[in-house]
Each structure stands twice: as structure tokens, then as C-alpha cells.
Amino acid sequence: MNEIEKQARELLVNRRRAILQLFEKNSSAERELFEAPRSPDWADRALAEKDTTVLHNVSEGERIELNEIEASLRRIEAGTYGDCEQCGSRIGRQRLRAIPEARRCISCTEALARP
Ligand SMILES: [Zn+2]
């Protein structure tokens, strides 16, 4: 494992831990919401349902990020970390430092972003 991989691994593991803690908080907040005695008043109910939606939206974004992090950690283990998924060239130290879970080099990312 080289220096870039070591640094990335540390960042990714820390980020994963933070997201998992967020999930914990989210799911206990959801539990409270569901276990709270339901008021027959529709306004209260609507409010409770809106809150649940927000929680789901938050966790969806985090879930995607968590997938990216897991994939990066697997690439580090496999020794393919830092190789562009698209063209196979090196992603580059600076880019990896900015985005440790980057899958593609800057030119492939830009090519994909172009309409
Ligand atoms: Zn590329």
C-alpha cells in the first residue's frame, strides 16, 4: 500500500464511520417518529410524515456516498485504486487528495459531463 492509498484509506474509513453514525441517528429519529403515539389531528400527522421524508432524503444521499466509499476501499484492497475506470490511466495524486472516492481521471469526468 503506497502513501496515497494509506491516506485515502484513512479518510475513507473516517468518512464511513461518520456516515454510519448519521444512519444510527437517522434511524433512531425515525423510530421515535413511528413509535410516537399518533395524534388524530391531521396537521400533526402531516408534519410527522414530512419529517420522515426529509430523513429518507438525507439517508439516500449518504447511502450513495457510502457505496462509493466501500467501492474505493475495495479498490485499495485490490490494488487498483487510483486507476481510471474509463481509460485506465492514473487519476492523479492531487485529484485523489481532493476526492478520495474518485473513479475516473479528470479528462474522463469532463468528457462525461459534456452533453
Ligand atoms: Zn480516464
Side-chain angles (χ1 to χ4, degrees), residues 39-114:
S39 157
D41 186 85
W42 69 268
D44 278 356
R45 208 157 52 221
L47 204 68
E49 269 154 30
K50 200 167 139 243
D51 283 350
T52 336
T53 315
V54 170
L55 286 173
H56 280 303
N57 286 345
V58 167
S59 44
E60 183 57 30
E62 308 294 338
R63 237 191 296 271
I64 292 168
E65 196 183 345
L66 194 62
N67 275 338
E68 291 298 310
I69 291 170
E70 296 287 358
S72 301
L73 287 170
R74 275 199 298 274
R75 287 199 298 276
I76 291 174
E77 297 304 323
T80 59
Y81 182 75
D83 295 342
C84 173
E85 232 177 42
Q86 201 84 17
C87 69
S89 65
R90 302 293 297 162
I91 291 176
R93 183 186 282 258
Q94 268 189 335
R95 181 167 163 73
L96 287 174
R97 201 171 283 164
I99 316 164
E101 68 268 38
R103 289 166 180 266
R104 294 180 192 90
C105 71
I106 189 80
S107 32
C108 288
T109 305
E110 281 173 0
L112 277 176
R114 243 173 266 139

